[in-house]
Amino acid sequence: MNFPDKVTLTMKDNQKLVIKEMITLVYSMSRLSGGKATLREAETVILGSDVYGLSMEDTQLIRRLQSAVELVIRNDHPGSVEILSRINGLVTMASSLKAGQLRKAPFKVVATGRMIPAADEAVVANAVEGILHTEDSATLKALRLILVIVNQQFYADANEATAFLFANYVMVHAGAGMIMVADEKLTAFRQLMAAYDGIDDEPPLKWLYKNCVISDH
């Protein structure tokens, strides 16, 4: 499979790109997390104001996601399981006592009945590090990370947003652009991941590459 980077930027320029697209990225992550805020409401919260009628839960979600995106922009350490867990901790902080901790209990996928065993620390580390240390393009690494994190549900909550934020962390550090799910693609993404068996990567990789990798800058 060949999934070359769609853009080639310096890390600094990629950081500027994410800052420019901060509102859209946070909004996209909130939708992945089940948030109800509109794009305009997300913008208002990010700029520091409360929104009349927006629940406290949605307001806090936007602020937590903003903090996670700021980590993606400002942290200069290489991608790692530690960074991945820090991102999950920021996204789920105050909403879960298990924020940033690997899932310790089996998980049943309602749509398919598939049972996923508890997330084993060594298995997670091998999966994540194995992808990060390949010679693949940064974009392919990021997409493969999304697949494994969402499919294996590493955390008790917010796996989708965590996966995309960590994928963007990898993209930013490589100067490869951004990845996000547009509103109109969200249902198709959920259907894609529900059908993904964890074995045949090519169909979901092609879909994500075509629909979620942002090439404009």
Side-chain angles (χ1 to χ4, degrees), residues 124-137:
V124 170
N126 285 338
V128 172
E129 298 295 338
I131 293 171
L132 290 173
H133 293 145
T134 65
E135 296 300 318
D136 295 328
S137 69

Side-chain angles (χ1 to χ4, degrees), residues 34-214:
K36 305 300 183 185
T38 65
L39 178 61
R40 181 64 62 85
E41 288 170 338
E43 178 180 15
T44 300
V45 173
I46 289 169
L47 294 176
S49 299
D50 291 329
V51 175
Y52 177 77
L54 186 65
S55 70
M56 182 60 66
E57 180 181 359
D58 280 314
T59 300
Q60 290 178 345
L61 173 62
I62 295 296
R63 288 175 176 157
R64 294 197 304 270
L65 288 166
Q66 182 179 2
S67 295
V69 172
E70 288 171 352
L71 171 66
V72 168
I73 296 169
R74 305 188 189 287
N75 196 299
D76 59 1
H77 294 289
S80 64
V81 175
E82 179 185 0
I83 296 294
L84 174 64
S85 292
R86 283 182 63 189
I87 289 172
N88 181 263
L90 287 171
V91 174
T92 59
M93 180 176 56
S95 69
S96 172
L97 296 176
K98 300 176 182 177
Q101 298 180 27
L102 295 177
R103 180 174 47 79
K104 301 187 185 311
F107 176 82
K108 183 177 182 179
V109 181
V110 176
T112 63
R114 179 171 66 100
M115 289 297 298
I116 307 174
D120 179 82
E121 186 174 346
V123 172
V124 170
N126 285 338
V128 172
E129 298 295 338
I131 293 171
L132 290 173
H133 293 145
T134 65
E135 296 300 318
D136 295 328
S137 69
T139 301
L140 180 51
K141 291 178 184 179
L143 297 180
R144 290 178 63 202
L145 285 163
I146 290 170
L147 291 186
V148 72
I149 295 166
V150 176
N151 180 256
Q152 294 300 313
Q153 295 286 296
F154 287 166
Y155 300 95
D157 194 18
N159 284 279
E160 289 80 7
T162 299
F164 274 86
L165 286 163
F166 188 59
N168 277 290
Y169 190 95
V170 172
M171 296 285 278
V172 167
H173 280 68
M178 295 173 58
I179 301 177
M180 69 176 80
V181 183
D183 248 7
E184 65 271 17
K185 302 291 185 181
L186 186 57
T187 298
F189 169 73
R190 297 204 185 285
Q191 293 171 343
L192 177 83
M193 293 310 302
Y196 175 52
D197 59 7
I199 299 173
D200 186 4
D201 289 350
E202 190 162 0
L205 286 174
K206 285 182 175 178
W207 189 92
L208 289 167
Y209 186 77
K210 177 183 178 180
N211 294 286
C212 299
V213 178
I214 308 302

Side-chain angles (χ1 to χ4, degrees), residues 2-15:
N2 184 24
F3 296 87
D5 296 330
K6 291 187 177 182
V7 299
T8 303
L9 304 171
T10 65
M11 181 176 170
K12 185 174 182 179
D13 283 343
N14 212 138
Q15 289 170 323

